Amino acid sequence: MASAQKPRVRFAPSPTGYLHVGGARTALFNWLFARHEGGTLLVRIEDTDVGRNRPELVDGILDDLKWLGIEWDEGPFFQSERLEMYRQAAERLLASGAAFPCYCKPSAYAGGDAAPAGDVEEQEGEGDDEGPKVHKGPACPCRDLSDAERAAKQKGGISRAIRFRVSRTGTTKFEDIVFGRREVQNEEIEDFVLLRSNGLPTYQLSVVVDDIDMRISHVIRGADHLSNTPKQALLYEALGAPVPLFAHVPLILGPDRTRLSKRHGATSVGSYATEGFLPEAFRNFLALLGWSPGGDSEFLRTPQMIERFTLSGVSRTNAIFDRPKLEWFNTEYQQKLPIEDLLPYVETELKRAGLWEGSQARRDHAWFARTVDLVRPRTRLLDDFTGWARAFFTDDFDYDAEAREKFWKDERLGGMLAKLADALAALADWNHDACDAALRGLATGEGVKAGLLINATRVAIVGRAVAPPLFETMVVIGKDRVVARIRRAVTFLGPR
């Protein structure tokens, strides 16, 4: 591909809701394709639906894209700032005879000029698709009005919309990289509205005008937009522009194989960030919802995905959103990422929980890396570092009730833990073997199994029954803190 022919793609969300999983996957496919091909990704905010837009959501959508690691090259562009361009395009179509004025009430026909309603969370990441699909209604009578009849309506002050004049014969064809060549009988396409009677463009007009102006070469979007494409192909032709290549990607369904929605749990990208998922794990999971990289590999770092991504690998089959699979990916990433790649995310989590300022993690980077590396094999989400692993980063933690009941029930433990604290405090060297020998020596002297002291000590120093190996944990936490925590436990246990 010559430099001048590099692909130009766009992600075009509508600020009528948060960035949901379907839209995020569409954005990701556009980004992967652009990066693989050395092309350009634009972000365009389709905000002409004044009745449903929530401008405050724009920043949230852009922030979620950034969290996901999707960096765009141009934009964001706002359709609300380009209204005159759409009006001029509609007037050109009217002047050429490709469109006609419509004086019907918006509610009188299918595909009217009223702003449509719809479940935005189920949109696959592009503006409005003109609402729920309906059967083609009766032909608009305004199509065949005489000049005199039109003049009379204008004189009467009747507001007009502008409709596209669809040929009543022939077919409309377009190429789709995923679904192949598509052909629709023109008689099945209504004379759709381009400009509403309030002067605002419909989705069909604005998206085509923008894609022409922005020189978009490939339109990658959800398969729920397949039904819009014949209308848009007609518009490209009427406006004298080449039709871009389309790639409609499969929809994402819930486990019950219905459209993914709130009833299936969290669907907005921001909620997964809040829960503690790593962005790269989320990217990897999303990419495999409808795309096959070839081979058996599932764990793919982002550079690998960019290298392998092609639209020919996108499936026609709808994908299933599997929450346990997403959690598996996150666990894999937390365990396999180079430690220096993981640390910034753990730092952010510690700051969120108020555990960063004044902590050893902040003062000693090597200690921080060693501690995270010890803890991470037992983590699933980032909030595990401030949940069950909280005691690694602060002395402010509680003893788990079940752990206390299970491992602190022996009445001799108070005295034995006091002796253990003294033995550990006397150690000249603080390492795994020295800690091990001190504890096992005490157990032998007291005539108890080492396991009794190991389990009790674990609860004393981390507050939990399950943690990384005890002596490695003791080394990481440090001599002074371990001794202090065991003595605190002795005080908690009190006289028996």
Side-chain angles (χ1 to χ4, degrees), residues 325-369:
K325 188 70 172 181
L326 171 58
E327 293 181 0
W328 176 85
F329 269 108
N330 206 73
T331 301
E332 289 289 293
Y333 270 85
Q334 287 194 180
Q335 294 179 9
K336 293 181 178 179
L337 280 183
I339 192 66
E340 291 298 331
D341 289 353
L342 181 60
L343 290 182
Y345 298 108
V346 180
E347 177 181 335
T348 298
E349 173 61 20
L350 293 175
K351 288 177 177 177
R352 183 199 63 78
L355 301 179
W356 181 254
E357 294 301 324
S359 69
Q360 186 171 355
R362 181 180 181 183
R363 296 190 305 270
D364 186 342
H365 182 82
W367 178 89
F368 181 36

Side-chain angles (χ1 to χ4, degrees), residues 216-230:
I216 299 302
S217 63
H218 295 71
V219 174
I220 305 169
R221 59 188 180 185
D224 48 350
H225 285 280
L226 268 170
S227 60
N228 289 320
T229 310

Side-chain angles (χ1 to χ4, degrees), residues 212-248:
I212 293 172
D213 181 63
M214 296 174 182
R215 308 186 313 283
I216 299 302
S217 63
H218 295 71
V219 174
I220 305 169
R221 59 188 180 185
D224 48 350
H225 285 280
L226 268 170
S227 60
N228 289 320
T229 310
K231 299 175 184 178
Q232 293 167 12
L234 289 171
L235 273 174
Y236 282 107
E237 181 180 354
L239 289 168
V243 179
L245 290 172
F246 291 95
H248 288 89

Side-chain angles (χ1 to χ4, degrees), residues 253 255 285 289 320-327:
L253 307 180
F285 170 75
L289 293 180
I320 304 298
F321 187 92
D322 183 352
R323 167 77 185 221
K325 188 70 172 181
L326 171 58
E327 293 181 0

